[in-house]
Amino acid sequence: MLQDTLLAYEALFWKFITEPQVLVALAVAIPAAIAFQYFTITKQNNPRRPHQQYPSNQTIMSPPTEDLPPPKSDPFTLEQLKRFDGTDESLPIYVSIKGTVFDVTRKRDVYGPPTGSYRVFAGKDASRAFGLSSLKVEDADPDWSTLQEKELKTLEEWWSFFKKRYAVVGRVVDMPESVQRFVWPPAEVIDDN
């Protein structure tokens, strides 16, 4: 009698287990359980989370450069700056932010044509685009006077980032009047030297 009961339960088990809905559920549940076990074991072997990979004072971006040459104040017009867009490989690549011209030639792969991710900034003052965090050509404009407070903060952070990493080779002398008084260094400081 016990044997008959066990055989009946076994038959019900196999009938249940071969139902299409149960097979689909098993097909999902078994790989999920294996993946869970794998990641649990892996996590125990490497307890660091991705966001803990770098100490808070480090960044995946290039660190500030200690050996930058002293800043230069060579005058550039916006028109002259266009020559330094990376199309002529014999010339350096310059990017201007808030009228400060930076030499970014060492990152030609990033700022130079034809495939540089940030080529839109090369050979121009793209202050507005930096403030907007935009890679659109139409935003690469020297007039940042219409930026909102948060965007002005972003622009200032980019200027500071570049100043710590790239050589300052000059200044743009024909910035739009609406931002001229905010350009570093001011023209009167340069003229006094």
Side-chain angles (χ1 to χ4, degrees):
M1 174 114 171
L2 181 60
Q3 189 174 3
D4 289 339
T5 304
L6 288 175
L7 286 174
Y9 279 124
E10 184 180 3
L12 280 173
F13 172 77
W14 287 112
K15 182 177 180 189
F16 173 77
I17 204 92
T18 57
E19 289 288 322
Q21 298 90 343
V22 174
L23 290 174
V24 169
L26 288 174
V28 171
I30 291 173
I34 292 170
F36 176 78
Q37 279 299 109
Y38 171 77
F39 288 114
T40 301
I41 291 168
T42 305
K43 187 175 168 185
Q44 288 171 351
N45 292 337
N46 183 9
R48 296 184 91 165
R49 306 271 197 285
H51 66 279
Q52 294 173 326
Q53 190 170 2
Y54 300 99
S56 61
N57 63 345
Q58 288 185 351
T59 175
I60 59 173
M61 298 177 106
S62 63
T65 304
E66 300 286 330
D67 58 346
L68 288 174
K72 294 181 182 175
S73 57
D74 295 345
F76 289 89
T77 64
L78 291 168
E79 189 61 36
Q80 289 169 328
L81 196 57
K82 290 178 183 178
R83 292 185 52 225
F84 303 95
D85 65 355
T87 52
D88 182 345
E89 290 193 20
S90 68
L91 294 175
I93 300 176
Y94 293 162
V95 169
S96 176
I97 304 174
K98 295 174 53 177
T100 304
V101 181
F102 299 96
D103 183 346
V104 298
T105 308
R106 65 184 174 87
K107 291 291 210 167
R108 187 174 287 277
D109 59 321
V110 175
Y111 294 98
T115 59
S117 317
Y118 301 120
R119 65 187 176 277
V120 67
F121 304 135
K124 58 184 73 128
D125 186 299
S127 296
R128 181 172 170 72
F130 279 101
L132 295 171
S133 298
S134 171
L135 294 175
K136 295 178 182 173
V137 174
E138 60 269 19
D139 290 332
D141 188 80
D143 185 355
W144 73 86
S145 64
T146 59
L147 295 179
Q148 302 300 310
E149 187 175 334
K150 183 179 177 185
E151 296 161 341
L152 288 170
K153 184 175 187 254
T154 301
L155 173 61
E156 186 61 32
E157 288 168 354
W158 276 116
W159 183 84
S160 180
F161 175 87
F162 271 68
K163 191 143 177 22
K164 293 175 185 173
R165 288 162 178 82
Y166 299 106
V168 174
V169 294
R171 64 186 178 87
V172 177
V173 294
D174 61 344
M175 292 292 286
E177 244 183 81
S178 56
V179 296
Q180 184 65 48
R181 65 188 172 122
F182 302 108
V183 172
W184 180 92
E188 58 272 7
V189 171
I190 300 302
D191 293 339
D192 288 344
N193 292 336

